[in-house]
């Protein structure tokens, strides 16, 4: 049982600490923000790089009753490996011809259908298996990606799905859609998509569809548009404690706390003279006598090469900046003459309350979004789970127990605040 503690103290080149106490509290905060809706924790792409199985379990402990993935394989893996309590629904939406429809039906997954080819394949599979499929019909209300177009296409799909339902081949369990610009609050497309969604849902219901859930909200819409919550909110990035965009607000504004901290052990500290080129291409040259610190992670670990010369790292109590290029396995920071020991801790990003940068700071440094920063952290970086035990330091709940709604972060002890200075450029 001390595995986590051992991993935490073991000398590791690098590790991504995943605070499952924060994740549970984030889900509780989202439930409080969307009190009329169920919460689907989106755990696609290995839970945005945080680890699908532990995060799915923690999300359920926090009160999520649905889990969402992109691919059917991700959903089947969760069903097989996560040991989820009965009644937790799993939905997946990114299908290609050939399935695996049969496996999905047998695993009691909710499958998304955007068009006739998929409806035909899923009903064939249901006939072969002898069980009805749980099908959610997806409407394209304006994203222009997957989903069924409004008008004749929607009429054809809804009509065919209802016939298959009366033949006992499927249950239409959901009507759903996805927003294009929810991370830009006030964008006119949001209202337009909501109007069209209501129309497409109304059409289906007039024809006789009785879905369990209607849903359109991702994290930004969950945080900013209560009129988009319907029966279910599909939250991904907010579960991991990261704001969808600066325009939406900061994660702290919503009582969310970043779950992943990326740490590395400084591999070498050495003094060099002024005028010394640093890393491939010599894009950084030391301005005078200084000390350099070698950080043993690179783009193979998901550190964006676009953060060359800009990425922030907390080392020795100060913010340092990637000096020169990020290489495949390592990069260098200028320690400005500070004499640190090899093995000193470098925090690339974390929750921010110990003075360290956040994934959002890295997103800004690399010209991308924080989703990409956490999701791309590579498999060579071990995930170390902290606060795995439910109930530690807070009123947690066990699997299968319906949790009470506890708004905000009330979980495990966290050192708040820090007078660590952000310095170095
Ligand atoms: C990824 C995804 C989500 C979650 O989006 P967030 O912005 O991370 O909350 C919701 N729905 C669909 C269809 C998705 O692909």
């Amino acid at each position: 049982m001390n595995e986590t503690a051992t991993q935490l103290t073991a000398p590791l080149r690098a590790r991504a600490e995943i605070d499952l106490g924060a994740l549970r509290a984030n889900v509780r905060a989202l439930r409080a923000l969307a009190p009329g809706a169920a919460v689907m924790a989106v755990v696609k792409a290995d839970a945005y790089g945080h680890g699908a199985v532990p995060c799915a379990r923690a999300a359920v402990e926090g009160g999520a009753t649905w889990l969402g993935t992109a691919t059917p394989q991700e959903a089947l893996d969760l069903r097989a490996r996560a040991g989820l309590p009965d009644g937790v629904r799993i939905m997946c939406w990114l299908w290609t011809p050939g399935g695996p429809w049969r496996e999905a039906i047998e695993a009691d997954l909710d499958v998304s259908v955007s068009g006739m080819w998929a409806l035909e394949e899923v009903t064939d599979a249901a006939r072969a298996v002898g069980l009805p499929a749980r099908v959610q019909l997806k409407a394209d209300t304006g994203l222009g990606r997957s989903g069924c177009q409004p008008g004749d296409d929607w009429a054809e799909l809804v009509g065919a799905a209802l016939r298959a339902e009366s033949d006992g081949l499927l249950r239409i369990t959901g009507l759903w859609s996805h927003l294009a610009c929810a991370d830009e609050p006030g964008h006119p497309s949001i209202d337009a998509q909501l109007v069209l969604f209501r129309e497409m849902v109304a059409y289906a219901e007039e024809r006789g569809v009785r879905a369990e859930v209607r849903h359109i909200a991702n994290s930004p819409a969950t945080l900013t548009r209560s009129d988009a919550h319907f029966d279910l909110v599909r939250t991904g990035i907010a579960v991991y404690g990261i704001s969808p965009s600066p325009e939406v607000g900061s994660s702290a504004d919503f009582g969310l706390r970043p779950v992943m901290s990326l740490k590395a052990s400084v591999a070498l500290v050495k003094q060099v003279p002024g005028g010394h080129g640093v890393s491939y291409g010599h894009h950084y040259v030391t301005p005078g006598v200084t000390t350099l610190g070698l950080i043993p992670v690179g783009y193979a670990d998901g550190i964006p090469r676009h953060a060359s010369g800009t990425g922030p790292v907390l080392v020795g109590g100060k913010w340092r900046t990637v000096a020169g290029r990020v290489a495949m396995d390592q990069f260098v920071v200028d320690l400005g003459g500070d004499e640190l020991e090899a093995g000193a801790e470098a925090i690339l990003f974390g929750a921010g309350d110990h003075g360290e940068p956040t994934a959002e700071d890295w997103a800004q440094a690399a010209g991308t979004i924080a989703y990409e920063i956490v999701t791309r952290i590579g498999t060579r970086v071990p995930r170390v789970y902290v606060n795995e035990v439910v109930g530690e330091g807070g009123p947690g709940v066990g699997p299968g127990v319906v949790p009470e709604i506890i708004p905000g972060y009330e979980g495990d002890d966290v050192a708040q605040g820090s007078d660590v200075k952000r310095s170095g450029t």
Side-chain angles (χ1 to χ4, degrees), residues 13-30:
R13 172 185 71 100
R15 61 172 178 263
E17 284 178 18
I18 309 298
D19 182 351
L20 295 176
L23 191 149
R24 290 191 296 270
N26 292 338
V27 174
R28 292 196 293 263
L30 292 167

Side-chain angles (χ1 to χ4, degrees), residues 134-266:
R134 292 178 55 87
V135 169
Q136 300 214 12
L137 301 179
K138 182 171 190 193
D140 187 348
T141 56
L143 175 59
R145 212 167 65 176
S146 71
C148 181
Q149 289 298 114
D152 292 348
D153 288 358
W154 186 240
E156 182 189 23
L157 185 66
V158 167
L162 281 166
R163 281 192 298 282
E165 187 169 59
S166 59
D167 291 345
L169 295 171
L170 58 83
R171 279 265 316 123
I172 305 172
T173 55
L175 297 169
W176 75 295
S177 189
H178 196 32
L179 293 164
C181 305
D183 57 346
E184 296 173 47
H187 194 287
S189 69
I190 303 169
D191 285 330
Q193 285 198 261
L194 290 175
V195 167
L196 185 53
F197 184 57
R198 285 198 190 87
E199 283 172 17
M200 291 174 83
V201 166
Y203 173 85
E205 291 179 343
E206 280 156 21
R207 290 289 173 291
V209 171
R210 294 289 169 267
E212 295 167 19
V213 285
R214 295 156 295 184
H215 49 107
I216 191 168
N218 52 4
S219 293
T222 302
L223 299 176
T224 61
R225 294 290 300 245
S226 56
D227 59 337
H229 291 170
F230 293 90
D231 305 310
L232 176 70
V233 293
R234 299 189 311 274
T235 46
I237 200 72
V239 167
Y240 309 104
I242 295 172
S243 168
S245 68
E247 294 93 315
V248 166
S250 74
S251 49
D253 291 342
F254 301 101
L256 303 171
R257 177 177 172 77
V259 169
M260 183 189 289
S261 298
L262 183 63
K263 301 179 178 177
S265 187
V266 176

Side-chain angles (χ1 to χ4, degrees), residues 40 66 68-72 75 90-97 99-101 104-105 109-122 133-140 146-148 154 157 170-178 215 234:
M40 173 190 289
W66 287 77
T69 70
T71 70
I90 305 177
M91 176 178 177
C92 53
W93 44 77
L94 192 57
W95 288 87
T96 44
W101 301 106
I105 295 168
L109 306 182
D110 279 54
V111 303
S112 177
V113 164
S114 289
M116 291 302 292
W117 74 261
L119 191 70
E120 282 156 19
E121 288 201 3
V122 76
R134 292 178 55 87
V135 169
Q136 300 214 12
L137 301 179
K138 182 171 190 193
D140 187 348
S146 71
C148 181
W154 186 240
L157 185 66
L170 58 83
R171 279 265 316 123
I172 305 172
T173 55
L175 297 169
W176 75 295
S177 189
H178 196 32
H215 49 107
R234 299 189 311 274

Side-chain angles (χ1 to χ4, degrees), residues 269-291:
V269 178
K270 63 180 180 183
Q271 201 177 69
V272 294
H276 201 302
V278 176
S279 191
Y280 295 130
H282 280 180
H283 291 280
Y284 183 80
V285 177
T286 55
V289 176
T290 190
T291 46

